[in-house]
Amino acid sequence: MTTYETSASPATGAPPATGAPFRSRTHTWQPRPEMTPEILGMSGLEILRASLKGELPGASMMSTLGFRLTEAAEGVAVFEGDPGDHLLNPMGTVHGGFLATLLDSALGSSVMTLLPAGTAYTTVQLGVHMIRPVMADTPTLRCEGTALHVGRTTATAEARVTGSHDGKLYAHATTTCAILRMG
């Protein structure tokens, strides 16, 4: 949950130079549990589904940036993200890092859905293509990742960010992941 407050500068107490009040954003998250034998015995898909059910907390950075896992199936992971003025770059558009993080999450999670228990992954290559700008008032974006290949040592996937309101393509990406055997 995100809440917004407006105020004077927390450092000086002075009003902002633009005349508009300062804003602050507060978010909460639940820390990830330790890697217990029970969690280590779960497949990637089981972990993501447990997160969807609220049995395991989601990744804390999802709360930080304002996106969430909405679906997980074999070879597919879907996230939704909410742009806002807290994500703006100096040009007044949502920073590309928001889209890159949303894409990287869907890409990696789509690979994760096909990993057996005791296996993890890490991104080793991420290729992102931004198609259109995202503005602070852009409605919710949907990012669907699809695993293309999951082998013994590497995996590849592709993902697309589309407007949930209009279906327009905002960005697309591919990844290569290293597969890690735990233990």
Side-chain angles (χ1 to χ4, degrees):
M1 177 180 185
T2 300
T3 57
Y4 289 96
E5 298 175 9
T6 58
S7 65
S9 168
T12 65
T18 63
F22 283 95
R23 297 178 73 188
S24 66
R25 183 172 184 265
T26 304
H27 65 93
T28 58
W29 68 94
Q30 184 178 8
R32 298 289 293 181
E34 300 224 5
M35 287 302 192
T36 62
E38 179 181 275
I39 294 173
L40 288 172
M42 297 170 73
S43 70
L45 183 56
E46 290 170 332
I47 290 170
L48 291 174
R49 285 184 172 163
S51 180
L52 279 168
K53 292 178 189 174
E55 297 166 358
L56 287 175
S60 55
M61 59 99 181
M62 292 190 303
S63 168
T64 302
L65 292 179
F67 66 94
R68 63 212 154 271
L69 175 66
T70 60
E71 297 173 40
E74 286 189 18
V76 177
V78 179
F79 288 80
E80 289 185 350
D82 301 307
D85 66 355
H86 62 289
L87 298 170
L88 297 181
N89 62 29
M91 295 182 298
T93 59
V94 170
H95 192 280
F98 173 73
L99 290 172
T101 303
L102 191 60
L103 286 157
D104 188 43
S105 297
L107 291 161
S109 293
S110 71
V111 167
M112 184 177 173
T113 66
L114 297 175
L115 296 180
T119 309
Y121 72 92
T122 189
T123 302
V124 295
Q125 180 275 331
L126 177 66
V128 177
H129 300 272
M130 312 289 183
I131 304 302
R132 63 176 28 92
V134 176
M135 309 308 284
D137 62 352
T138 298
T140 299
L141 297 172
R142 174 185 166 86
C143 183
E144 182 170 336
T146 304
L148 300 174
H149 164 78
V150 178
R152 202 172 50 77
T153 58
T154 62
T156 60
E158 62 186 8
R160 298 165 54 97
V161 175
T162 56
S164 61
H165 60 292
D166 61 7
K168 288 183 179 178
L169 182 65
Y170 283 81
H172 59 95
T174 58
T175 193
T176 301
C177 296
I179 305 301
L180 311 169
R181 306 289 173 206
M182 308 302 283

